[in-house]
Amino acid sequence: MNEPRSRASRRDFMRLALAAGSAAALPWLPAVQAQTTAANKGTQLILLGTKGGPTPSALRAAPANVLLVDGQPYVVDCGNGVALQLTKAGIKLPQIRDIFLTHQHSDHNADLGNLVFLAWATGLATPVHLYGPPGMRQMMDDFVHMNAIDIATRMQEEGRPPLRPLINTHEFDGPCVVMENDQVKMTAALVDHYTLKPAFAYRFDTKDRSVVFSGDTAYSENLIKLAKGADVLVHEVMYLPALEKLMKTVDNAPTLLDHLVKSHTSTAQVGRIAARAGVKTLVLSHFVPGGDPAISDDMWSAEACKQFSGEIIVGKDLMVI
């Protein structure tokens, strides 16, 4: 009779010890978290990771965003480290309920499985819904199989519920209303990401704001239609003058350059898209190249400013908008 209480007591002690250790090691976290946890009402955008491409960088984290609607997180893309970035933003992983992938590129889906897995390992016991292009269901089946030993151990020793039944995948391959509840309506449009198809842009309409995520795309008429009149457009961006420098650092330069030019949107094109869509605020993110500290904020925004007269924000990791 005493053993269950003893186990629970040890678990509670470890949680408290880990929390105290994290706070001591990262004293800046409470200030960042206060920005997000204080706003329990309304719609809040947090840029979790703003670098484009799968190569890790000390300058920016991998692509990921979260929209908080009355405190409920809606995660868009899951680049490497998304769980850590959510934690830094003050969002408890077991809160996660809805995750959206714009497309199946590794800088956007690398930690899809890990985010759900780590949320489960820290207390998630309610269903999680994954929305996006085909392939997610197979990815999650394979991920659960790959981690079968750890999952079984935690179920036995920590009392976790079975993981796979909590994961619900919703795949689609064309424009549609993806989901709608009393907080938000989410709509998808096809965009042009060269050979990778389908690739989507997403629009979230809430009671107080409309926020559009471009995903990865070249100049797209579909995106312009989707973003018409939106409050915020979070758009990927490529700084063309820096590509020559980037090409000198890689051994697959011709192929990579062809991919970048045909798959992404230049700084000038981003400004034209925002102007034609009539959005209020343009947020630059998914920077290509995203690991070059020589590119200043002014350099990222200069060409867009010539095309778009509204507010332009050069995104930073963990920026709250």
Side-chain angles (χ1 to χ4, degrees), residues 186-208:
M186 203 283 265
T187 309
L190 286 168
V191 291
D192 180 12
H193 197 34
Y194 193 25
T195 61
L196 200 151
K197 303 179 186 299
F200 294 105
Y202 292 141
R203 176 172 180 141
F204 291 80
D205 288 289
T206 71
K207 294 175 183 177
D208 61 316

Side-chain angles (χ1 to χ4, degrees), residues 15-83:
R15 290 193 189 101
L16 289 170
L18 287 170
S22 298
L26 302 171
W28 50 269
L29 270 181
V32 175
Q33 294 168 351
Q35 296 182 66
T36 59
T37 56
N40 293 323
K41 297 296 181 182
T43 303
Q44 192 176 48
L45 166 66
I46 307 174
L47 308 179
L48 298 172
T50 58
K51 180 189 178 294
T55 307
S57 169
L59 190 63
R60 298 177 184 274
N65 305 276
V66 63
L67 201 65
L68 287 175
V69 184
D70 296 335
Q72 177 62 43
Y74 296 82
V75 179
V76 180
D77 284 330
C78 294
N80 178 38
V82 62

Side-chain angles (χ1 to χ4, degrees), residues 274-293:
R276 287 192 57 199
V279 302
K280 295 177 182 177
T281 299
L282 169 63
V283 179
L284 303 180
S285 189
H286 192 283
F287 296 95
V288 178
D292 187 348

Side-chain angles (χ1 to χ4, degrees), residues 216-228:
D216 281 13
T217 182
Y219 190 94
S220 171
E221 292 292 335
N222 287 344
L223 174 60
I224 291 169
K225 294 176 183 176
L226 182 72
K228 281 289 184 183

